[in-house]
Amino acid sequence: MPIVQEKINKLNELLLSMGSVVISFSGGVDSTFLAAAAHKLLSNKAVAVTAYSESFAAWEKNDAQAIAKAIGIKHIFLPGGEMNNADFVSNTYQRCYYCKKERFSALAVWAKEHGYGFVAEGSNNDDLEDFRPGMKAIAELPVVRSPLLEAGFTKEEIRLVSRQWGLPTWDKPSTACLVSRLTYGLPITAQRLLQIEQAEKLVRSYCSGKIRVRHHGALARIEVQPEVIPLLTRIEVLTDLVAGIKELGFTYVTIDLSGYRTGSMNEMMNEV
């Protein structure tokens, strides 16, 4: 705990040095913790801004609104424009770079127009272990800071302190934008993102925990935690689940026996 307290102190110093800040807010574990810390220290000089588009599921948008209200921080929705970016829509391995560049540039403009000195986002030390081209986009924008990363927080530490602070997200499953479910090279469209959102909603009606439906064009690949797989393969559940997902426009439905894992689409990069 002494080490964690040192990181909290460092985070507080960073936020106070910013003076005023826009928190890039998704309502996930990291951004909620960051928003709560900023609100404690800066009060009305901190605002949570949720950039949204078709890549942001409706339930996540509602969650973000409810969580910001619970924290007490001022909350704004800002429409995102990445779906108008041809480089992003083409869905290459660099899609996250183009998305982050688009979104954080817009947040930086919004912050300047409304008198906030910085934009802060919720990357942490664990994010350095994964393929995240979006971090390059963040590094290219001097007004954007990553206080949790700068203070050295890990995901486990963020959850620990979130629990101590009574934040509702301390045990919330990790989330990612709907685009992360699309296989690289398959153009990003609003229709495909809606297919993913509705398919995951259907799977969630049968089980809880970490759920992803990966979109491979005609194929929907379901990822859940391994212990949940037997529940989904019960014949009465499987029959209804497959029928429901096919109604969304998929031709084939499969359950990945390896189970849920972060960034499984990036496994394809090793095959190129």
Side-chain angles (χ1 to χ4, degrees):
M1 279 304 294
I3 294 176
V4 175
Q5 186 57 55
E6 288 178 11
K7 293 181 180 182
I8 293 173
N9 295 341
K10 176 64 174 176
L11 175 62
N12 290 343
E13 291 173 8
L14 289 167
L15 291 170
L16 286 172
S17 71
M18 293 181 197
S20 60
V21 63
V22 169
I23 305 296
S24 175
F25 187 73
S26 67
V29 178
D30 303 323
S31 66
T32 296
F33 174 63
L34 181 58
H39 182 60
K40 286 174 183 285
L41 290 169
L42 301 175
S43 188
N44 62 353
K45 292 183 179 179
V47 59
V49 178
T50 300
Y52 71 94
S53 68
E54 292 89 342
S55 66
F56 199 56
W59 70 267
E60 290 186 280
K61 187 177 179 182
N62 293 336
D63 253 18
Q65 187 171 34
I67 292 167
K69 184 177 181 180
I71 294 172
I73 192 170
K74 181 181 178 182
H75 183 222
I76 302 293
F77 283 111
L78 182 68
E82 68 272 13
M83 293 295 287
N84 297 319
N85 185 317
D87 290 322
F88 169 72
V89 169
S90 65
N91 195 17
T92 68
Y93 291 141
Q94 297 300 316
R95 65 190 180 193
C96 189
Y97 169 82
Y98 296 115
C99 177
K100 295 291 188 186
K101 193 65 178 283
E102 189 82 33
R103 286 196 171 195
F104 281 101
S105 294
L107 285 171
V109 169
W110 191 94
K112 183 177 181 179
E113 290 176 346
H114 292 82
Y116 292 89
F118 291 90
V119 175
E121 62 89 37
S123 294
N124 62 70
N125 266 22
D126 292 358
D127 294 323
L128 299 177
E129 300 173 5
D130 195 11
F131 175 68
R132 294 185 182 265
M135 296 185 76
K136 179 175 181 287
I138 291 168
E140 292 173 352
L141 297 167
V143 74
V144 181
R145 300 279 296 276
S146 305
L148 302 181
L149 184 59
E150 292 180 48
F153 275 97
T154 65
K155 192 77 163 190
E156 182 180 0
E157 291 167 339
I158 292 168
R159 289 189 184 277
L160 174 65
V161 181
S162 295
R163 185 175 188 179
Q164 293 173 345
W165 288 2
L167 299 178
T169 50
W170 75 268
D171 62 345
K172 185 176 182 180
S174 297
T175 57
C177 75
L178 295 174
V179 173
S180 67
R181 279 74 146 171
L182 274 172
T183 188
Y184 290 112
L186 189 68
I188 300 168
T189 66
Q191 180 185 8
R192 286 177 173 141
L193 296 175
L194 184 59
Q195 279 182 299
I196 295 166
E197 180 178 355
Q198 291 177 337
E200 291 189 353
K201 181 179 179 181
L202 182 58
V203 176
R204 200 173 289 111
S205 70
Y206 293 105
C207 64
S208 57
K210 297 175 180 177
I211 295 168
R212 298 288 187 271
V213 175
R214 308 294 188 183
H215 197 312
H216 295 264
L219 171 70
R221 176 169 58 88
I222 300 169
E223 289 182 17
V224 293
Q225 291 162 288
E227 61 269 23
V228 176
I229 293 175
L231 173 62
L232 294 185
T233 54
R234 288 164 49 190
I235 189 62
E236 64 274 17
V237 173
L238 192 62
T239 301
D240 290 344
L241 185 59
V242 170
I245 292 179
K246 283 188 173 183
E247 285 181 7
L248 298 175
F250 292 99
T251 305
Y252 307 104
V253 182
T254 185
I255 297 175
D256 191 324
L257 298 182
S258 295
Y260 166 83
R261 62 258 189 220
T262 301
S264 73
M265 285 305 195
N266 293 334
E267 295 167 7
M268 297 176 59
M269 297 174 63
N270 299 323
E271 300 174 4
V272 178

